[in-house]
Amino acid sequence: MDIALNILPVFLVIFLGAGAKRLAFFPDIFVKGANRLVFYIGIPALLFIKLSSAPFHETFDINLALISSLSVFIVWLFSLVFVRLKIFSTLGSASAASFVQTSMHGNIGYIGFAVVFYSLGNNGLSIASFLAPFIIIPQNILSVLSFNIHSATKRKKIKSFITMLKSIFLNPIIISALFGIAFSFFGLKLPNFLDRFLEIVSGMALPMALLIIGASLSMSAMSNSLYWLFSSSLLKLLFLPGLGVVLLHNAGVHPFPIEVAAILLGAPTATVSVIMSSEMEGDVKFASTAVTLSTLLSLFSLSLWSYLIGFCINQIF
């Protein structure tokens, strides 16, 4: 119960954002501008501050990073097979592409970081900041491959390859994480006034990100593919983090980093999935509904993982 209560405030802020949007406190133009502010400035500032000040050898675990990346890849392959088997019904190519993407592309920058920080504190966020690029990069590459396999025309494939490169090399989260790692490794420090500036700016990142997520939720575009939608959420919220937990435990990783990894791997489907579906001939309606459904369900799944790891795996080690 205590674990759920630690995570619940994160979702109450999300619901506050949804209510504020419904009451017209957040017009679309505000949500769009606030989203850019958080994505390009707030979250990167937060990651840099946490990573640059973290003890390098205590924070950076290559096994944690590689196994988390492998887990994303395995779930991606599994979702491709799932679509090929046509268990529930035949999905059109556009819906199939969006299904595969939404099954493994998580909202790490907004919800993942917020849950880690508010439930595990600064130590957890430092580990999450290091781990994030190793999950975000595979997610972006495999998302583009999903659309290439199922729905993209030749022209779209070229465009999507360029989009993939841009999403990786121009991603502010990845860039800030790399700079933070470099500062930590070499023991570099920013001048006090810059450090304080970034600390102030970073303070807005997580609360604003959660409000934006709430304002972006929509139940108006419910898709008819309910079995596929729930399957996407199960793969994203249960199977992916579950696989990661098992592999990390077998590799001898300490329970605390495992819990951080489970939260990041189990973060609900990223809102960028809707944008990618729109740009790469996917099913926008399916992606939009998958984001909303997985976000609502993640309150329970993230609480479950925190409970299992905190009370079960900790007894084994």
Side-chain angles (χ1 to χ4, degrees), residues 60-91:
F60 304 100
D61 185 339
I62 195 62
N63 285 334
L64 180 70
L66 294 180
I67 292 173
S68 297
S69 298
L70 176 63
S71 300
V72 174
F73 179 71
I74 292 174
V75 171
W76 178 74
L77 287 178
F78 185 86
S79 62
L80 286 175
V81 173
F82 205 66
V83 169
R84 182 70 65 178
L85 292 177
K86 305 175 183 177
I87 293 178
F88 302 122
S89 60
T90 301
L91 278 178

Side-chain angles (χ1 to χ4, degrees), residues 63-265:
N63 285 334
L64 180 70
L66 294 180
I67 292 173
S68 297
S69 298
L70 176 63
S71 300
V72 174
F73 179 71
I74 292 174
V75 171
W76 178 74
L77 287 178
F78 185 86
S79 62
L80 286 175
V81 173
F82 205 66
V83 169
R84 182 70 65 178
L85 292 177
K86 305 175 183 177
I87 293 178
F88 302 122
S89 60
T90 301
L91 278 178
S93 59
S95 298
S98 292
F99 169 81
V100 173
Q101 184 205 15
T102 57
S103 297
M104 57 84 199
H105 196 164
N107 196 336
I108 290 174
Y110 288 11
I111 296 182
F113 286 147
V115 172
V116 169
F117 178 67
Y118 291 119
S119 62
L120 301 178
N122 282 316
N123 290 338
L125 187 58
S126 295
I127 296 172
S129 302
F130 156 72
L131 181 58
F134 293 94
I135 300 177
I136 291 173
I137 291 175
Q139 282 183 165
N140 280 279
I141 293 174
L142 296 175
S143 291
V144 171
L145 287 177
S146 302
F147 290 106
N148 284 346
I149 291 171
H150 285 287
S151 65
T153 61
K154 184 175 181 180
R155 183 177 178 181
K156 286 286 185 178
K157 288 181 180 181
I158 296 173
K159 182 180 178 181
S160 63
F161 179 75
I162 295 173
T163 301
M164 177 187 71
L165 294 178
K166 288 171 63 178
S167 68
I168 294 172
F169 293 109
L170 298 180
N171 188 309
I173 292 177
I174 294 174
I175 293 171
S176 64
L178 292 177
F179 273 99
I181 290 171
F183 268 65
S184 177
F185 180 79
F186 292 107
L188 302 176
K189 300 291 182 182
L190 287 175
N192 285 337
F193 75 94
L194 282 179
D195 188 69
R196 184 59 180 155
F197 163 73
L198 290 177
E199 199 168 307
I200 293 172
V201 171
S202 68
M204 72 170 179
L206 297 180
M208 184 63 75
L210 295 175
L211 290 171
I212 291 169
I213 289 296
S216 302
L217 296 180
S218 173
M219 296 300 293
S220 61
M222 287 300 293
S223 168
N224 292 325
S225 307
L226 290 179
Y227 290 119
W228 289 103
L229 283 166
F230 276 101
S231 296
S232 170
S233 291
L234 288 174
L235 287 171
K236 184 69 200 67
L237 303 178
L238 296 180
F239 188 68
L240 176 52
L243 176 63
V245 167
V246 171
L247 294 177
L248 289 168
H249 171 62
N250 289 335
V253 177
H254 193 272
F256 188 73
I258 290 179
E259 186 170 0
V260 174
I263 291 173
L264 295 192
L265 292 172

Side-chain angles (χ1 to χ4, degrees), residues 23-34:
L23 294 172
F25 288 171
F26 291 167
D28 290 338
I29 191 169
F30 170 81
V31 174
K32 183 177 180 180

